[in-house]
Amino acid sequence: MKRILALLLTACLTVGCSLADKDSIINLLSSPRLSERENAIVTAIKNYLGYDIILKYPKQGADLSPVQIVDLDDDGQDEAVALYSAPGNSSNVRIAVLSRTEEGWSVDYEGEGFGSEVYSLSFERLKKDEPCRIIVGYTFSDTSEKLLSVYFISDRKIEDVETFVCQDFLVYDVTGDSIVDIVLAGVNADNQHTRISVYSTNQSSFLTSIASMEISVPNAKVTAISPSLNDFAENKAIVLDYYDTNKIVYTQAFYYRLSDFVTILPPNVVQKVWDYSYPLCSLDVDGDGYLETPTVIDDARAQSKDLKFMEWTNFLLTNPERKYFGFCRAQSGLYFPLPDEWQGHILLTDGREENTWLVVQASTGSILVTREVLEIGENAEDADNMVISNIGTVQIKLTFDESVSEDQRNYIVENVMYIK
C-alpha cells in the first residue's frame, strides 16, 4: 500500500517539520472533531479525576481517535476506552474504561499507563471464547522504545496487565489458528542480539512465548515488523526491517511453523546503506498483499547525493519480481518510478532552481524529465508537455521532453509514492 500522507501533515513533513510539530498538527486537526458522545466521555473522566485532561492520539493504526467505543465483554453494551494525559499529575499517558449508565458514562477503571505518548490502540481476542483485550502500545516522543501493554478485563474491571518492553511489535495471527498473536522485537544491550518472539495465549491464560529467534547482527535497530502474503506457506510471512550501527539496512522474512520460524528471505540477500532521519522499510507498493523491499542502486556517475536510484522487488514469490525501478529524493521521501527501459541510460542531477531535479539522458545530455516542487498556493502555467502531480497538498510539476511517450508519462505520474 502506498503511504501517502495527506493534508497539512504532508506539507509539513515535506518542508521538514519536527516530530513534535507533527503531533501538534494531529491534535489540532482532530480535537474539534469529537462527537457529542465523546465529549460526554471526556467530561465524565474530568469529573471523576477532579481536573482537566488532554487527549492523547495514537501515532499508528486504522483508528487514530483517543476515545474509542467497543463492546469489550460481548454483552451487547458498548464500553468506552480513552487515552489522555493529566498535566501536573504525571508525564505518562493514562487510560480509562467507562460504561454507559442511565445517568451517562461512568468510569469503571482509571490508571496510569507507560510512556508519554500512545503508539497504537487496538482491541483483539487473544483466545477463543474470551472477551477482547485492550492492547496499547506506549512510546516516547522519539518512538525509539515502545512498551506494549495487554489489559485483561473481567466484569468491566481491569483484572491484569501484561507489559513488554520492545523495539517494535506486530499484533496479527501469524500461527494461522484464527486467533491473534503478538510478535515482539525485544530491546538489547550493547553488543547483544535482538530477539524476535511470538507470544500466544493458546497454551496458558497469559501470553507465553511459543517461538523465538535472534537477529544475527548485533545492536540491531528494528524499524518495522509487517505481515505479508507469500508463495511458501498459507500463513502470512513476517517481514522484518532493521539496521545496524553502520547504517546498513537489512530485510528478513520468515513464517511460523510448528513452534519454529522458516526463513523465506535471509538477511544477506538485501542490504543497503541508508543514512537518513527516517527508516527505509518494505511496503506493499502495488496493493497486491505482498510486501516489496527497496534496494538502493549504486551509481558511480551520481551527480547528487540526495537523489538515489532505487528499485522495489517482491522477494516473497517463488521467482522474485521487480515491481518498480526509479529514484528517490531521499531527504523528502518522494519516490518517482521510471520506465524500465531507461535503466542504465540516464543520470540524475539537481536543477539550478531550489527544489528542482532532473532526469538526463546520459548519451546526449538532453533533459527527459524536470521535477519541481511548487510552493503552497503557487500556480503553474499549463503546457502540453507538463503535468501537475498532487501528493496531499504538495504539488509537483513534471515537465517532459517530447521524446517521452504518453504511456511513459502516465506511468511516472500515476505511481509517485511518499515513503518517509
Side-chain angles (χ1 to χ4, degrees), residues 106-123:
S106 174
V107 176
D108 296 326
Y109 171 85
E110 198 281 333
E112 186 174 6
F114 304 89
S116 59
E117 303 292 334
V118 181
Y119 186 74
S120 65
L121 170 64
S122 61
F123 306 92

Side-chain angles (χ1 to χ4, degrees), residues 346-357:
I346 55 176
L347 301 173
L348 303 175
T349 182
D350 293 315
R352 293 182 179 180
E353 302 295 329
E354 188 177 0
N355 289 325
T356 302
W357 55 104

Side-chain angles (χ1 to χ4, degrees), residues 399-413:
T399 306
F400 296 96
D401 183 74
E402 292 181 355
S403 64
V404 181
S405 70
E406 183 177 355
D407 286 344
Q408 291 173 331
R409 295 182 188 191
N410 292 338
Y411 176 78
I412 294 170
V413 171

Side-chain angles (χ1 to χ4, degrees), residues 274 280 294-296 308-312 324-328 335:
W274 189 253
L280 186 60
T295 303
V296 178
K308 306 287 186 182
F309 279 121
M310 184 184 294
E311 59 186 12
W312 294 81
Y324 287 134
F325 159 74
F327 76 93
C328 176
Y335 178 82

